[in-house]
Amino acid sequence: MPASTVDIKFYLEKIKSLTDALLLRYLPSVDNEPKILHEAMKYSTLAGGKRLRPILAYSAFEYCGGNTDGDDLSIHYAMAALEMVHTYSLIHDDLPCMDDDDLRRGIPTCHKKFGTAAAVLAGDALHDVAFNLLASTGSTKVVVELAQALGTAGMIGGQMADVEAEGKDVTKADIINIHTRKTGALIKASVRIGAILAGASDSELEKLTRYSEKIGLAFQIIDDILDIEGDTETMGKPVGSDVGLGKATYPKAVGIEQAKADAQGLIDDAVVLVNEFDDNVLSELAKYIGQRNN
Amino acid sequence: MPASTVDIKFYLEKIKSLTDALLLRYLPSVDNEPKILHEAMKYSTLAGGKRLRPILAYSAFEYCGGNTDGDDLSIHYAMAALEMVHTYSLIHDDLPCMDDDDLRRGIPTCHKKFGTAAAVLAGDALHDVAFNLLASTGSTKVVVELAQALGTAGMIGGQMADVEAEGKDVTKADIINIHTRKTGALIKASVRIGAILAGASDSELEKLTRYSEKIGLAFQIIDDILDIEGDTETMGKPVGSDVGLGKATYPKAVGIEQAKADAQGLIDDAVVLVNEFDDNVLSELAKYIGQRNN
């Protein structure tokens, strides 16, 4: 196979910048009331982050032949919406009644900065802006896709199971179940929403669904590994916090070497699924997720 | 004018029963994981309540010629969705970091019964089920309608302003602004969503929008009056709690007699707006709101 012509680092930077511009455009203005809420929403959304979900949506949209020359705003709405719901989930997960985290991406969490009431409401409001944006695509199908990914069968169910599993012994099946819902559901929805907006065929959608399930699980396994072996400065949060909280993690269930091998196996499977073109962004993105260090 | 042939009490009971049946149908089963969340969602949603928002949506749908013989499920989806987002807002408003209420509708609030983490997540999950249901109508327009009513320009903005106004002197304009957003936005959206799903014309929609603004403000003014003059048992919560918390209320700004006169004026205006048929449910509903005692 020839060397890939995709410069993935440049691509990631480009779509990350586009996402940041879209977030600024679609977040409510901090000059309008309620200013404290609009500031809290902006603070947490623009605090950094890899913008993985918008990048996946955009790449899947492109892969399925979507129009990326800027005439079709639907993918822009979806990209901003996906990052906003991701931010909403982080704000609520960090609350004192949940994980009680003081730092996120190297800066104080939303409730440390703006108070708990404002943090709950800022999360709620991001949730609403996201649905408003997604509905603005004109497709009810993508609204249903997001609502199901976020609900008790998806992200919220995973978060509840995660809280309940703290300090308990968990099997590999338990942890795969938690990861698949808590992180995997939104990653899968990101890929599927991009594909649906591009008008993907059923078979394309089915293939990208399997791709997204593999990279979603690999992403979270690597997250668990980085919490053990990562660098506090690169990560922007203290390493070892999962162990400290008695969190259910994949390495805890199978050991760190097996965790690394399983993550690599998932990445390899994902690459095979999308390799019908010699080189493409989805395949490079899977490899990038396999090699990430923050 | 001849006596109304609409038996409003019978009508309210009928649509309330329909709403309860729809909520049971569309809430996730408590037999499925995460059981504690599904129980919390059911507990708070089925704890009682007047079902005013679903009733308004149904009545507006009927008024605009929507098909109510059960073949068109879109109004059913909308009715359940509106009650679920109303419940989500009550669960989050009652949280310790917000109004810190122990009782709601005569029973312990969601966080008192299930814990704060479960209450935050149960509210979040109801939010998602509601958007899933609304998108299932096939109309992105009603999804946008709800998202805007719930966001910082609507309900959440009103809740933030309400929290910030506690213990401060407020003018009549301030309190109208708070009420219009905190309670009024969702009441307006309920009427508009029913009308939109029935295929209302622009002029019909405009008329019902004005109707909904009047009854929404009247509803909340009467709520404030009942907190002063109401009966604890009939209300299912302690009266006088607004005064105790130093809440911004309409009677506080204009005096109780003026508050009563203004509420009646709004009801009269609302009745005039919808009286093109000799008697109809929307007109009776407005009068009912003017006379409610809980």
Side-chain angles (χ1 to χ4, degrees), chain A residues 28 33-34 36-38 41 88 92-93 95 97-98 116-118 120-121 124-125 127-129 131-132 135-136 138-140 143-144 146-148 150-153 156-157 159-160 163-164 181, chain B residues 28 33-34 36-38 41 88 92-93 95 97-98 116-118 120-121 124-125 127-129 131-132 135-136 138-140 143-144 146-148 150-153 156-157 159-160 163-164 181:
Chain A
E33 291 290 349
I36 184 177
L37 279 190
H38 293 163
M41 292 161 78
Y88 132 71
H92 282 195
D93 280 6
L95 287 171
C97 64
M98 305 272 205
T116 308
V120 171
L121 294 175
D124 289 345
H127 205 165
D128 290 315
V129 178
F131 276 111
N132 195 346
S136 303
S139 160
T140 51
V143 177
V144 170
L146 184 68
Q148 288 182 344
L150 295 179
T152 55
I156 289 173
Q159 170 65 3
M160 194 72 218
V163 168
E164 287 180 334
R181 289 187 292 158
Chain B
E33 291 289 349
I36 184 176
L37 280 190
H38 292 164
M41 292 162 77
Y88 131 71
H92 281 195
D93 281 5
L95 288 171
C97 64
M98 305 273 204
T116 308
V120 171
L121 293 175
D124 289 344
H127 205 166
D128 290 315
V129 177
F131 276 112
N132 195 348
S136 302
S139 160
T140 51
V143 177
V144 169
L146 184 68
Q148 288 181 345
L150 296 178
T152 55
I156 289 174
Q159 169 66 3
M160 194 71 218
V163 169
E164 287 180 334
R181 290 186 291 158

Side-chain angles (χ1 to χ4, degrees), chain A:
Chain A
M1 199 195 291
S4 169
T5 59
V6 177
D7 182 343
I8 190 68
K9 284 201 177 149
F10 175 74
Y11 184 89
L12 291 174
E13 277 307 314
K14 189 179 76 170
I15 310 306
K16 189 172 176 300
S17 298
L18 171 61
T19 304
D20 290 344
L22 295 172
L23 290 169
L24 268 176
R25 185 176 308 158
Y26 297 130
L27 281 167
S29 166
V30 294
D31 295 333
N32 294 341
E33 291 290 349
K35 286 181 190 173
I36 184 177
L37 279 190
H38 293 163
E39 277 166 19
M41 292 161 78
K42 185 175 171 185
Y43 172 84
S44 290
T45 309
L46 297 183
K50 291 172 279 294
R51 311 306 190 203
L52 177 66
R53 291 148 194 84
I55 290 169
L56 284 169
Y58 185 90
S59 310
F61 182 79
E62 202 174 32
Y63 186 92
C64 296
N67 171 356
T68 54
D69 66 7
D71 290 341
D72 182 351
L73 288 180
S74 70
I75 186 64
H76 287 184
Y77 296 147
M79 290 166 75
L82 288 162
E83 192 63 21
M84 287 182 196
V85 291
H86 176 54
T87 306
Y88 132 71
S89 77
L90 299 179
I91 293 174
H92 282 195
D93 280 6
D94 287 339
L95 287 171
C97 64
M98 305 272 205
D99 291 352
D100 196 14
D101 277 319
D102 293 348
L103 276 183
R104 162 78 65 184
R105 294 168 177 166
I107 58 171
T109 47
C110 192
H111 65 273
K112 289 305 269 185
K113 176 97 177 167
F114 295 93
T116 308
V120 171
L121 294 175
D124 289 345
L126 284 169
H127 205 165
D128 290 315
V129 178
F131 276 111
N132 195 346
L133 284 168
L134 261 197
S136 303
T137 64
S139 160
T140 51
K141 200 170 169 189
V142 297
V143 177
V144 170
E145 195 75 38
L146 184 68
Q148 288 182 344
L150 295 179
T152 55
M155 194 175 76
I156 289 173
Q159 170 65 3
M160 194 72 218
D162 193 30
V163 168
E164 287 180 334
E166 271 181 29
K168 296 190 188 145
D169 279 333
V170 288
T171 64
K172 181 175 162 185
D174 294 332
I175 188 71
I176 288 177
N177 181 27
I178 292 174
H179 284 358
T180 299
R181 289 187 292 158
K182 185 173 175 182
T183 338
L186 188 55
I187 286 177
K188 177 156 84 173
S190 301
V191 171
R192 283 176 56 89
I193 286 170
I196 291 166
L197 290 175
S201 66
D202 287 350
S203 68
E204 264 184 324
L205 192 56
E206 200 271 324
K207 185 178 69 179
L208 290 193
T209 301
R210 284 191 289 142
Y211 164 86
S212 66
E213 288 167 351
K214 306 234 177 243
I215 60 165
L217 182 54
F219 179 85
Q220 191 55 46
I221 294 174
I222 292 165
D223 217 62
D224 290 349
I225 294 169
L226 286 171
D227 189 70
I228 298 169
E229 297 193 339
D231 176 70
T232 296
E233 203 171 323
T234 318
M235 301 281 289
K237 62 180 178 185
V239 298
S241 60
D242 291 348
V243 176
L245 283 166
K247 280 270 186 194
T249 72
Y250 197 90
K252 191 178 168 189
V254 304
I256 192 140
E257 291 312 318
Q258 187 62 45
K260 287 181 186 175
D262 288 353
Q264 192 55 50
L266 288 161
I267 296 293
D268 293 344
D269 289 351
V271 169
V272 168
L273 277 166
V274 291
N275 72 354
E276 70 185 277
F277 313 127
D278 254 1
D279 47 41
N280 68 67
V281 169
L282 288 182
S283 142
E284 294 303 313
L285 257 174
K287 293 180 206 160
Y288 165 78
I289 287 172
Q291 287 152 14
R292 77 194 183 93
N293 63 3
N294 70 13

Side-chain angles (χ1 to χ4, degrees), chain B residues 197-218:
Chain B
L197 290 175
S201 66
D202 286 351
S203 67
E204 264 185 324
L205 192 56
E206 201 271 325
K207 184 178 69 179
L208 291 192
T209 301
R210 283 190 290 142
Y211 165 85
S212 66
E213 287 167 352
K214 307 239 178 237
I215 59 165
L217 183 53

